């Protein structure tokens, strides 16, 4: 629980200066410290040991992340730094001493889950640190009072915040990363991290966006566009492949806008990254809004046709009505979206276009909604994210005249029924495909792989398939998946150039060989991980 120190310490900046040692430096320095002997009576010594028993860096931490792949990447970085500093990450919330709750502000239900988790933690007398877009956008919410906060651009200082929270202090870091006045993409990309899936690296290429959508709360948290330099992103990809990764996801609030703030663009980045991808490994591009990808359609078609890039693009349209798009301030018309889809379908045969739709946005008429229905009938999107409109506090859309709740619900139901009325993969039965196996299915009955078009293909759960490119014959199609039978005469191909890290193992830690003055990963070939020193 927060202590009386809360009123005295508003920001960890008050206690930590730029000249102070980092958590990793503190950890290594502990090894060389020789305590000075002091004459004390036995009772005083016992009292001191008892008082100092709460040493930061020795506790168990449970982390929960909601939301997008950008948020998941942030969570992986925070977990890695905490583990590297000596904390033990646990999957059991009841076993943890402290909870790190990494929030999403896109929809009301996600924030409700976040708020309920805080309440649950405090009821169980757990210490709490909150992160993500909710506290960044609204740090003064009543239910956040007294809690420590890590801002979305301050994840590299998670250890400092957790250290103080363990001691009962409440600290808040919400500032922006800047270099000479220019806002940066965020924390360094070479920080330690624990990948949720050791085979998949999520790389955030930029933060924020150039739009001001009237329904969006994320903009309040992530701000305007700020891109990472190409060299830093290429180096991060290179390091990931050296740690056994075979699939990279590029993420941001709008990948299509990448580089506009630093004098470059998305195709330039993608061509550089493609050079680093080993044979058989794959790159997946994240969400892009229509306006900025329109400028790069020719190059994007070439890139999506590349054998090591999934022919997949997530382009949220939100509505097929120009009047609704105008009220949303989406900065494109429906013809712009159709141009993107039609061009890519023509130039990238078989390409998967995923999109998002909002039902019941303020002012949406029955005619507006019918335009959206007609567009779905036209394109029969294989992947469609349908969202009933939720007014987010503090957004312009929350002040607009709302569509009645029962109408929103009915439109959401009607659109969902349309989506489930067609089977996008039936024509794939009988095809022979190469697929990359990276995950286990939710029911643990299959391994999950993806073909060139990022369509989910379930394959038999054989240990030798994990992390491999295999050849399969498609024998069954469902609404959201295909099932593949391995081709017996075809051997699995290993795209990884190194053995993957074990699940839960920390990525990005390097140790210096003082004899050769070279850096190597701080783990041995048999993947054992040394226990951190706790002095």
């Amino acid at each position: 629980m927060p202590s009386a120190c809360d009123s005295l310490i508003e920001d960890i900046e008050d206690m930590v200066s730029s000249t102070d040692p980092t958590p990793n430096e503190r950890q290594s320095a502990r090894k060389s410290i020789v305590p000075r002997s002091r004459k004390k009576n036995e009772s005083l010594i016992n009292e001191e040991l008892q008082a100092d028993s709460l040493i930061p860096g020795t506790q168990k931490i449970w982390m929960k992340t909601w939301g997008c792949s950008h948020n998941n990447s942030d969570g992986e970085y925070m977990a890695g730094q905490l583990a590297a500093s000596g904390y033990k990450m646990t999957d059991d919330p009841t076993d943890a001493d402290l909870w790190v709750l990494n929030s999403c502000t896109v929809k009301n239900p996600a924030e409700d889950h976040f708020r309920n988790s805080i309440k649950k933690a405090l009821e169980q007398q757990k210490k709490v640190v909150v992160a993500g877009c909710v506290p960044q956008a609204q740090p003064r919410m009543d239910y956040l009072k007294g809690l420590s906060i890590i801002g979305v651009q301050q994840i590299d200082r998670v250890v400092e915040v957790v250290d103080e929270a363990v001691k009962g202090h409440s600290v808040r870091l919400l500032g922006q990363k800047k270099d000479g006045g220019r806002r940066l993409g965020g924390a360094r990309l070479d920080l330690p991290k624990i990948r949720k899936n050791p085979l998949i690296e999520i790389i955030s290429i930029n933060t924020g966006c150039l739009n001001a959508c009237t329904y969006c709360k994320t903009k309040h948290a992530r701000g305007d566009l700020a891109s990472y330099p190409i060299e830093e992103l290429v180096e991060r990809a290179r390091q990931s492949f050296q740690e056994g990764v075979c699939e990279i996801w590029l993420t941001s609030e709008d990948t299509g806008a990448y580089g506009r703030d630093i004098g470059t663009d998305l195709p330039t980045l993608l061509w550089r990254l493609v050079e680093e991808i080993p044979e058989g490994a794959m790159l997946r591009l994240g969400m892009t809004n229509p306006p900025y990808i329109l400028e790069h359609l020719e190059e994007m078609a070439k890139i999506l046709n590349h054998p090591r890039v999934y022919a997949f693009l997530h382009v949220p349209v939100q509505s097929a009505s120009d009047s609704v798009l105008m009220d949303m301030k989406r900065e494109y018309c429906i013809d712009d979206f159709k141009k993107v889809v039609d061009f890519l379908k023509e130039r990238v045969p078989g390409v998967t276009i995923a999109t998002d739709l909002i039902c019941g946005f303020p002012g949406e008429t029955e005619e507006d909604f019918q335009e959206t229905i007609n567009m779905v009938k036209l394109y029969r999107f294989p992947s469609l994210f349908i969202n009933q409109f939720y007014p987010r506090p503090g957004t312009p859309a929350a002040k607009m005249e709302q569509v009645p709740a029962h109408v929103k619900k009915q439109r959401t139901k009607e659109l969902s029924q349309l989506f489930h009325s067609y089977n996008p993969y039936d024509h794939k039965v009988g095809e022979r495909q190469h697929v990359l196996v990276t995950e286990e299915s939710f029911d643990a009955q299959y391994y999950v792989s993806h073909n060139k078009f990022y369509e989910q293909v379930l394959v038999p759960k054989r240990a030798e398939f994990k992390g491999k490119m295999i050849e399969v014959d498609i024998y069954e199609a469902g609404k959201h998946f295909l099932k593949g039978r391995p081709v017996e005469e075809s051997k699995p191909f290993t795209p990884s150039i190194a053995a993957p890290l074990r699940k839960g193992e920390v990525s990005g830690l390097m140790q210096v060989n003082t004899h050769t003055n070279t850096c190597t990963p701080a783990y041995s070939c048999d993947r054992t991980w040394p226990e951190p020193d706790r002095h």
Side-chain angles (χ1 to χ4, degrees):
M1 294 294 290
S3 75
C5 294
D6 298 347
S7 59
L8 301 176
I9 306 168
E10 293 182 355
D11 197 307
I12 204 167
E13 307 280 6
D14 298 334
M15 294 177 292
V16 184
S17 74
S18 60
T19 57
D20 285 341
T22 65
N24 284 340
E25 289 169 344
R26 291 204 311 267
Q27 190 72 20
S28 58
R30 289 172 181 167
K31 300 174 186 175
S32 59
I33 291 174
V34 179
R36 185 171 56 192
S37 60
R38 296 177 182 173
K39 293 182 181 179
K40 293 183 179 176
N41 63 44
E42 202 66 32
S43 62
L44 278 177
I45 292 172
N46 289 336
E47 277 182 23
E48 281 199 1
L49 286 172
Q50 192 173 0
D52 286 341
S53 61
L54 200 65
I55 304 169
T58 62
Q59 289 73 25
K60 292 181 180 178
I61 295 179
W62 178 68
M63 179 177 291
K64 170 71 176 174
T65 293
W66 291 266
C68 65
S69 51
H70 192 165
N71 232 31
N72 277 278
S73 176
D74 287 352
E76 291 181 350
Y77 274 121
M78 288 191 283
Q81 291 170 88
L82 290 166
S85 184
Y87 289 102
K88 180 174 173 57
M89 305 304 295
T90 177
D91 292 328
D92 182 0
T94 59
D95 189 39
D97 303 293
L98 182 144
W99 291 9
V100 176
L101 302 174
N102 188 21
S103 62
C104 170
T105 192
V106 171
K107 300 181 196 174
N108 288 13
E111 184 172 346
D112 290 343
H113 285 303
F114 170 63
R115 183 169 52 244
N116 291 336
S117 294
I118 292 173
K119 183 180 177 185
K120 195 173 181 180
L122 297 178
E123 286 172 352
Q124 296 180 29
Q125 297 188 317
K126 307 290 186 184
K127 289 180 167 32
V128 181
V129 170
V130 294
C133 291
V134 171
Q136 180 72 51
Q138 292 180 289
R140 292 182 177 84
M141 294 288 283
D142 283 346
Y143 69 88
L144 298 177
K145 276 184 181 174
L147 299 181
S148 291
I149 297 177
I150 305 160
V152 293
Q153 286 213 321
Q154 298 292 330
I155 60 170
D156 54 337
R157 300 181 68 183
V158 62
V159 174
E160 299 166 51
V161 176
V162 169
D163 281 353
E164 294 306 318
V166 163
K167 292 186 283 190
H169 300 154
S170 172
V171 292
R172 299 184 166 205
L173 286 179
L174 294 162
Q176 304 293 322
K177 290 266 187 284
K178 292 186 178 180
D179 180 19
R182 185 180 69 83
R183 185 164 173 265
L184 301 177
R188 292 191 347 255
L189 294 171
D190 60 353
L191 294 168
K193 76 188 302 188
I194 296 177
R195 296 185 183 96
K196 189 176 179 182
N197 183 337
L199 297 173
I200 298 174
E201 167 71 0
I202 307 172
I203 303 178
S204 169
I205 62 173
N206 55 269
T207 192
C209 69
L210 292 170
N211 298 335
C213 300
T214 55
Y215 57 82
C216 182
K217 190 76 177 173
T218 306
K219 177 79 173 187
H220 297 194
R222 297 283 181 177
D224 292 328
L225 179 70
S227 305
Y228 283 99
I230 286 179
E231 291 306 323
E232 290 181 24
L233 294 165
V234 170
E235 183 53 39
R236 181 67 210 179
R238 195 177 290 136
Q239 178 192 330
S240 302
F241 291 126
Q242 290 168 355
E243 293 178 338
V245 161
C246 61
E247 186 169 291
I248 282 184
W249 297 356
L250 300 185
T251 182
S252 79
E253 284 66 57
D254 186 355
T255 58
Y258 170 80
R260 292 172 74 96
D261 57 319
I262 57 172
T264 186
D265 55 40
L266 182 62
T268 303
L269 168 65
L270 293 176
W271 285 123
R272 286 290 308 279
L273 286 172
V274 161
E275 295 172 8
E276 303 295 331
I277 304 173
E279 184 183 353
M282 297 296 287
L283 180 140
R284 190 193 83 175
L285 187 58
M287 187 193 81
T288 174
N289 284 312
Y292 306 110
I293 207 70
L294 267 170
E295 301 174 22
H296 307 302
L297 285 180
E298 290 277 357
E299 285 301 295
M300 289 305 301
K302 293 175 188 174
I303 289 163
L304 293 174
N305 275 313
H306 193 283
R308 294 193 289 278
V309 178
Y310 286 119
F312 168 88
L313 203 58
H314 178 195
V315 190
V317 63
Q318 306 302 3
S319 172
S321 162
D322 282 341
S323 62
V324 173
L325 291 174
M326 186 176 294
D327 288 342
M328 291 178 170
K329 286 196 174 177
R330 289 291 286 170
E331 299 186 14
Y332 58 86
C333 62
I334 192 59
D335 284 346
D336 292 331
F337 174 77
K338 288 180 176 179
K339 182 179 178 182
V340 171
V341 177
D342 293 344
F343 185 93
L344 291 178
K345 278 180 169 289
E346 180 188 342
R347 299 294 185 92
V348 189
V351 66
T352 296
I353 303 291
T355 195
D356 300 3
L357 289 166
I358 294 174
C359 294
F361 185 82
E364 182 186 64
T365 65
E366 193 57 44
E367 291 74 20
D368 294 328
F369 177 66
Q370 199 56 48
E371 289 184 59
T372 297
I373 289 284
N374 293 339
M375 181 191 63
V376 174
K377 286 179 179 177
L378 173 65
Y379 288 114
R380 295 166 68 91
F381 300 101
S383 185
L384 182 60
F385 304 95
I386 300 168
N387 302 290
Q388 183 176 317
F389 176 74
Y390 288 99
R392 301 296 289 128
T395 61
K399 298 172 184 174
M400 298 177 183
E401 187 175 346
Q402 302 297 306
V403 172
H406 72 278
V407 176
K408 290 193 287 187
K409 192 172 182 180
Q410 177 57 36
R411 288 176 185 172
T412 304
K413 182 180 178 183
E414 186 179 339
L415 194 55
S416 297
Q417 287 174 339
L418 171 59
F419 174 60
H420 285 97
S421 70
Y422 58 86
N423 295 311
Y425 302 132
D426 284 355
H427 66 287
K428 301 269 183 174
V429 174
E431 289 185 4
R432 180 164 288 189
Q433 301 179 348
H434 285 93
V435 297
L436 180 59
V437 184
T438 55
E439 302 171 66
E440 187 181 87
S441 62
F442 286 120
D443 61 7
Q445 299 301 304
Y446 299 91
Y447 275 154
V448 177
S449 66
H450 291 90
N451 59 21
K452 163 68 177 171
F453 309 105
Y454 203 68
E455 294 160 343
Q456 184 172 269
V457 182
L458 303 178
V459 299
K461 196 174 171 183
R462 295 186 203 163
E464 67 269 24
F465 289 165
K466 193 75 177 283
K468 305 291 196 297
M469 180 75 78
I470 65 172
E471 196 172 17
V472 298
D473 289 322
I474 302 300
Y475 68 91
E476 185 181 329
K479 176 63 180 175
H480 301 287
F481 65 88
L482 298 161
K483 285 186 180 177
R485 186 179 294 112
V487 177
E488 291 302 327
E489 62 270 22
S490 178
K491 289 185 178 180
F493 178 79
T494 305
S496 300
I497 60 175
L501 305 185
R502 292 180 307 179
K503 190 170 179 63
E505 194 168 347
V506 181
S507 148
L509 288 185
M510 308 296 282
Q511 62 187 15
V512 178
N513 185 323
T514 53
H515 299 292
T516 62
N517 204 29
T518 57
C519 292
T520 55
Y523 40 74
S524 59
C525 294
D526 63 0
R527 300 295 176 197
T528 54
W529 185 250
E531 276 293 306
D533 292 313
R534 294 179 179 134
H535 298 298

